[in-house]
């Protein structure tokens, strides 16, 4: 399993150190919240111990530790029943990038140890508890677990290392020098001290012999040194930090495997000071749309970790943003509830949001390829902001890209659409639907296509919601081509002859429209003539402010039923079927078969827009009867 995920074996140490760092953060936070917690927080640190002779490597922390049940739940699950499920998910992943999403599951990072170890032992005791737990596994799908009376507070992971195999990129991880190299490369930014035995300077052979027992005594208790700088990246000058360091820090806090798409630094000084280091990922996690998806950035106060996923600092529609915010003036024991009301937090949130949006805008103009990646991964989520973030609505609209009938491949911004609008065009036209093909084949598109009007093709579920919340852009109203009346004649095309023709059609069809409105009253609120059809006989439209069928389905899927809305049936006055129906109605108004024809016409219009028939069996029966009479 692990070999299917990781290509660089060195990262096992980064994963273990990252877990240890998280454990220290959690203990510091728990001790602030619970003054009665019996835990030693006087010297929180991570220790790495290497035994070259026994070929073991231990990563030890004195953090929060785990209880017996937590070990079984967080570690043992993957080693036991979870293995088959995990491997199945991995196998079903379409590509390597998709499979990397699975790395974020807790425990998988710990299991990277088996890339370099034949056996792993975990010794842990949760802070405040007296009983420890020992867990052992050789990585073959089983494990042993037992109580441990000698376990100190925290967690120690000991690896019995495999032999070195440079051809397989399996290095000598029993070498202190190699371990130091990995720590400096991947974990230098960890805010807790990472300690190792100091490298003893080489001594001449004669000196070693003369030292005798004293030398042996010194070797038994080597000096300990801190091998990481512990400098928070967000507090260091931009010139002092490399892109690689930023990328490794992002991977540490996000549990992502890919490099971030954008790195965002921000520093505020004055009456309220804070520093932030934010990242926009290069791909969306699998749980981005799940209800229990964790969102928000890490909150620090004067370099002290306060909480993960601080939702008060980042709105729901920017839940993909990762990073840290370090404030100078907040309380160390501030609660999530208090943060929601804190004026300083609200001010920070406003500035952070504007900075993220401005970064995306800069990417849009300066790095179009990266913007395309961003929009593909996070566009639907960003559009959620159009519903609630009124302050930044215009900025969000400027960042949006939409499919359009102008080009099947190239999306457009609303500003580009406005610049291309026909002379005399007053509205930005759009249509929502489940897919592009469904929208493009809809009867509602016919007149727009014939007259050359560009239409935005909106197929994300969120589009059904925001189009009703956003009335206009740049002074131009947004108009659904599937709602209300449409008039596609620009000022130059409105002549007396056209108006006269429409008036004649209204008079000619007045009786038929009135009869059909009554006949179909259980299904529609009105039957009227259409100006949006050129080849289809009929279509279904909604009133301007009515909920669309797609929106009704969205609410239904969420367990909320909207009041039933009757829609409008529009007829194409130039279509032979409609002309024939008008003639037949004028000649034999009482013919029962005409009512069936009206019902079929309504059913055909429903099917043409991808809708569902109320009574499919009856519709099929009517169609079969009509076909039979033609034979």
């Amino acid at each position: 399993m692990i070999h299917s995920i990781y290509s660089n074996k060195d990262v096992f140490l980064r994963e273990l150190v990252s877990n240890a760092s998280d454990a220290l953060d959690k203990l510091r936070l728990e001790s602030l919240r619970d003054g009665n917690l019996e835990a030693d927080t006087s010297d929180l640190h991570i220790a790495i111990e290497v035994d070259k002779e026994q070929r073991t490597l231990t990563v030890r922390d004195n953090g929060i530790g785990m209880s017996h049940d937590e070990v079984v739940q967080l570690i043992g699950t993957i080693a036991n029943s979870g293995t088959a499920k995990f491997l199945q998910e991995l196998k079903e992943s379409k590509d390597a990038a998709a499979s990397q999403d699975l790395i974020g599951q807790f425990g998988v990072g710990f299991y990277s140890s088996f890339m370099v170890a034949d056996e792993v032992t975990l010794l842990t005791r949760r802070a405040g508890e007296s009983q420890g737990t020992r867990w052992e596994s050789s990585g073959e799908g089983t494990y042993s677990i037992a109580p441990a009376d000698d376990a100190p507070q925290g967690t120690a992971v000991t690896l019995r290392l495999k032999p070195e195999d440079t051809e397989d990129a399996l290095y000598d991880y029993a070498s202190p020098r190699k371990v130091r190299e990995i720590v400096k490369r991947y974990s230098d930014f960890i805010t807790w001290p990472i300690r190792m035995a100091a490298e003893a300077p080489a001594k001449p052979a004669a000196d070693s012999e003369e030292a005798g027992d004293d030398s042996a005594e010194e070797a038994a208790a080597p000096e300990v040194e801190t091998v990481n700088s512990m400098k928070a990246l967000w507090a260091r000058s931009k010139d002092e930090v490399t892109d690689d360091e930023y990328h490794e820090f992002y991977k540490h806090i996000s549990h992502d495997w890919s490099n971030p798409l954008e790195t965002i630094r921000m520093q505020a000084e004055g009456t309220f000071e804070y520093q932030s280091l934010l990242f926009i990922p290069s791909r969306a996690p699998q749980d981005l749309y799940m209800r229990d998806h964790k969102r928000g950035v890490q909150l620090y106060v004067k370099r002290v970790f306060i909480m993960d996923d601080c939702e008060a600092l980042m709105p729901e529609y920017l839940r993909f943003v990762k990073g840290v915010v370090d404030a100078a003036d907040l309380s160390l024991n501030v609660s999530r509830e208090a943060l929601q009301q804190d004026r300083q937090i609200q001010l920070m949130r406003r500035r952070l949001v504007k900075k993220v949006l401005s970064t995306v805008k800069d990417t849009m103009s300066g790095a179009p390829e990266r913007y395309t990646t961003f929009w593909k991964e996070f566009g639907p989520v960003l559009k959620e902001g159009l519903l609630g973030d009124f302050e930044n609505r215009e900025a969000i609209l400027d960042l949006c890209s939409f499919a359009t009938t102008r080009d099947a491949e190239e999306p457009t911004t609303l500003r580009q659409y406005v610049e291309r609008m026909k002379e005399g065009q007053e509205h930005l036209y759009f249509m929502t639907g489940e897919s592009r093909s469904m929208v493009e084949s809809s009867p509602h598109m016919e007149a727009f296509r014939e007259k050359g009007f560009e239409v935005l093709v909106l197929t994300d579920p969120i589009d059904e919601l925001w189009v009703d919340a956003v009335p206009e852009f740049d002074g131009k109203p947004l108009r659904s081509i599937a709602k209300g009346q449409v008039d596609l004649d620009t000022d130059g095309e409105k002549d007396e002859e056209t108006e006269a023709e429409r008036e004649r059609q209204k008079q000619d069809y007045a009786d038929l429209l009135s009869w059909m409105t009554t006949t179909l009253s259980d299904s529609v609120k009105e039957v009227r003539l259409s100006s949006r059809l050129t080849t289809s006989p009929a279509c279904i439209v909604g009133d301007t402010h009515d909920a669309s069928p797609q929106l009704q389905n969205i609410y239904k899927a969420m367990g909320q039923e909207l009041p039933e809305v009757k829609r409008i049936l529009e007829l194409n006055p130039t279509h032979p079927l409609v002309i024939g129906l008008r003639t037949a109605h004028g000649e034999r108004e009482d013919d029962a078969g005409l009512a069936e024809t009206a019902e079929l016409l309504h059913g055909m219009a429903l099917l043409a827009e991808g809708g569902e028939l109320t009574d499919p069996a009856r519709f099929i029966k009517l169609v079969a009867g009509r076909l039979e009479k033609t034979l």
Side-chain angles (χ1 to χ4, degrees):
M1 174 186 73
I2 293 301
H3 284 281
S4 300
I5 297 176
Y6 294 97
S7 57
N8 181 1
K9 295 179 176 61
D10 287 358
V11 299
F12 84 92
L13 189 55
R14 182 192 70 185
E15 299 289 350
L16 294 182
V17 170
S18 181
N19 287 346
S21 174
D22 289 344
L24 295 171
D25 286 340
K26 289 175 182 177
L27 178 59
R28 169 68 68 85
L29 185 59
E30 191 69 22
S31 64
L32 289 172
R33 291 176 174 172
D34 183 359
N36 298 319
L37 181 67
E38 296 182 3
D40 181 6
T41 60
S42 60
D43 181 28
L44 298 180
H45 66 278
I46 300 166
I48 301 178
E49 302 162 6
V50 178
D51 188 327
K52 295 195 69 170
E53 293 185 3
Q54 299 296 322
R55 289 197 57 76
T56 63
L57 182 144
T58 300
V59 177
R60 188 188 310 276
D61 70 74
N62 55 349
I64 192 68
M66 288 181 281
S67 66
H68 176 278
D69 290 345
E70 286 172 328
V71 172
V72 173
Q73 178 185 356
L74 299 178
I75 302 296
T77 301
I78 292 181
N80 195 353
S81 59
T83 303
K85 179 181 178 183
F86 185 91
L87 287 175
Q88 183 64 28
E89 291 177 358
L90 190 63
K91 186 177 180 181
E92 291 174 356
S93 295
K94 300 296 184 184
D95 52 50
S99 69
Q100 300 306 325
D101 287 325
L102 302 172
I103 292 176
Q105 300 182 26
F106 187 93
V108 179
F110 165 79
Y111 267 77
S112 65
S113 303
F114 287 101
M115 291 190 300
V116 301
D118 290 319
E119 184 177 87
V120 177
T121 300
L122 180 143
L123 184 65
T124 185
R125 176 169 66 83
R126 184 171 180 82
E129 296 186 0
S130 58
Q131 182 70 63
T133 302
R134 183 185 302 276
W135 179 99
E136 293 181 324
S137 176
S138 58
E140 297 177 353
T142 61
Y143 65 89
S144 63
I145 189 168
D149 297 328
D150 59 340
Q153 169 189 304
T155 301
V157 180
T158 300
L159 315 184
R160 193 182 68 185
L161 297 167
K162 295 178 180 180
E164 182 178 5
D165 184 355
T166 53
E167 291 185 3
D168 190 34
L170 180 61
Y171 302 107
D172 183 9
Y173 298 109
S175 164
R177 182 168 297 179
K178 178 64 176 177
V179 171
R180 280 188 177 84
E181 174 200 320
I182 296 173
V183 170
K184 291 294 288 183
R185 188 185 338 143
Y186 290 122
S187 306
D188 192 58
F189 51 80
I190 296 292
T191 54
W192 303 104
I194 303 174
R195 297 172 182 165
M196 288 184 66
E199 287 188 277
K203 293 184 178 181
D207 290 347
S208 298
E209 291 175 5
E210 292 174 6
D213 294 338
D214 291 339
S215 177
E217 188 175 323
E218 288 180 14
E223 291 185 13
V224 174
E225 64 180 2
T226 298
V227 295
N228 62 322
S229 69
M230 292 188 295
K231 291 183 179 179
L233 260 64
W234 58 88
R236 292 162 60 183
S237 167
K238 188 175 181 179
D239 298 334
E240 297 178 7
V241 186
T242 66
D243 287 342
D244 286 343
E245 288 178 299
Y246 282 133
H247 295 170
E248 290 306 325
F249 180 73
Y250 164 74
K251 293 171 185 176
H252 164 68
I253 62 173
S254 68
H255 301 291
D256 190 3
W257 186 245
S258 305
N259 289 333
L261 191 69
E262 296 291 346
T263 300
I264 307 171
R265 287 181 56 108
M266 189 173 178
Q267 181 165 339
E269 298 178 346
T271 55
F272 179 47
E273 297 184 357
Y274 64 91
Q275 298 167 314
S276 67
L277 178 57
L278 306 179
F279 301 93
I280 297 177
S282 57
R283 57 193 178 83
Q286 288 183 329
D287 63 348
L288 185 62
Y289 296 98
M290 295 182 181
R291 185 171 298 178
D292 58 352
H293 172 78
K294 291 184 179 181
R295 68 178 177 89
V297 297
Q298 294 181 352
L299 175 63
Y300 285 72
V301 175
K302 296 178 181 177
R303 314 285 171 81
V304 175
F305 175 78
I306 300 299
M307 70 178 65
D308 250 334
D309 310 310
C310 182
E311 297 180 359
L313 284 171
M314 202 60 63
E316 179 78 16
Y317 73 92
L318 294 180
R319 59 185 176 272
F320 52 85
V321 175
K322 301 296 181 182
V324 299
V325 175
D326 190 350
D329 303 311
L330 291 176
S331 168
L332 289 176
N333 60 353
V334 66
S335 67
R336 288 185 182 272
E337 291 73 24
L339 286 175
Q340 299 292 342
Q341 308 300 325
D342 191 283
R343 179 181 171 276
Q344 292 181 335
I345 287 289
Q346 293 174 356
L347 180 61
M348 287 167 56
R349 173 184 170 125
R350 290 180 64 187
R351 291 179 176 174
L352 292 171
V353 169
K354 290 184 181 299
K355 183 64 175 179
V356 171
L357 296 180
S358 66
T359 299
V360 176
K361 186 172 184 178
D362 291 342
T363 304
M364 192 178 194
S365 57
E369 290 184 1
R370 290 213 304 275
Y371 167 78
T372 299
T373 298
F374 167 83
W375 188 254
K376 176 185 174 184
E377 298 292 328
F378 303 110
V381 184
L382 187 70
K383 285 188 283 188
E384 293 176 13
L386 297 172
L387 296 172
D389 191 349
F390 304 107
E391 180 180 355
N392 293 297
R393 177 175 284 174
E394 288 298 318
I396 297 172
L397 282 174
D398 271 332
L399 299 178
C400 293
S401 292
F402 305 99
T404 171
T405 55
R406 177 177 179 268
D407 191 310
E409 302 296 331
E410 189 71 23
T412 190
T413 65
L414 294 184
R415 199 159 300 283
Q416 290 170 334
Y417 181 103
V418 170
E419 292 171 356
R420 292 194 298 263
M421 285 174 61
K422 293 168 69 72
E423 186 176 350
Q425 181 181 342
E426 298 177 353
H427 301 91
L428 284 80
Y429 293 113
F430 70 87
M431 183 172 177
T432 59
E434 294 182 3
S435 66
R436 183 184 183 100
S437 60
M438 183 177 292
V439 171
E440 289 190 327
S441 61
S442 170
H444 301 100
M445 293 286 294
E446 292 175 2
F448 291 86
R449 186 181 296 112
E450 183 180 81
K451 291 180 175 289
F453 283 89
E454 184 175 358
V455 178
L456 301 174
V457 180
L458 309 181
T459 56
D460 290 328
I462 189 65
D463 293 332
E464 295 288 348
L465 300 171
W466 75 260
V467 291
D468 288 333
V470 179
E472 64 175 36
F473 174 79
D474 199 26
K476 304 289 185 179
L478 275 75
R479 168 70 69 87
S480 169
I481 67 171
K483 289 184 180 182
Q485 296 271 17
V486 298
D487 183 3
L488 299 184
D489 292 332
T490 57
D491 291 338
E493 296 174 325
K494 292 180 179 178
D495 52 41
E496 294 182 5
E497 185 177 342
T498 301
E499 293 298 321
E501 175 62 22
R502 290 181 177 175
E503 284 301 317
R504 283 195 296 271
Q505 288 175 341
K506 287 182 181 180
Q507 295 176 10
D508 292 344
Y509 281 91
D511 291 343
L512 176 67
L513 297 178
S514 176
W515 171 78
M516 287 187 68
T517 298
T518 302
T519 302
L520 300 175
S521 59
D522 289 343
S523 303
V524 302
K525 68 169 67 174
E526 180 188 357
V527 180
R528 68 190 185 199
L529 296 183
S530 178
S531 59
R532 70 186 93 212
L533 296 173
T534 60
T535 57
S536 298
C539 68
I540 304 287
V541 301
D543 262 347
T544 303
H545 301 293
D546 285 349
S548 68
Q550 293 85 1
L551 182 58
Q552 290 178 313
N553 290 336
I554 290 174
Y555 277 102
K556 188 175 182 180
M558 295 188 298
Q560 303 178 41
E561 293 281 352
L562 294 180
E564 183 181 357
V565 176
K566 289 183 180 180
R567 300 170 72 205
I568 299 166
L569 177 65
E570 287 191 351
L571 304 181
N572 180 355
T574 63
H575 194 280
L577 176 57
V578 177
I579 294 173
L581 181 58
R582 183 197 66 185
T583 301
H585 177 263
E587 294 174 351
R588 49 185 196 280
E589 183 177 345
D590 298 329
D591 186 345
L594 296 181
E596 293 181 352
T597 302
E599 189 176 344
L600 284 171
L601 200 57
H602 174 253
M604 290 162 55
L606 268 177
L607 293 175
E609 70 166 10
E612 297 181 0
L613 298 169
T614 305
D615 189 349
R618 173 171 172 77
F619 183 81
I620 294 298
K621 182 180 179 180
L622 292 177
V623 171
R626 294 304 173 95
L627 290 174
E628 182 181 345
K629 292 178 182 178
T630 65
L631 299 175

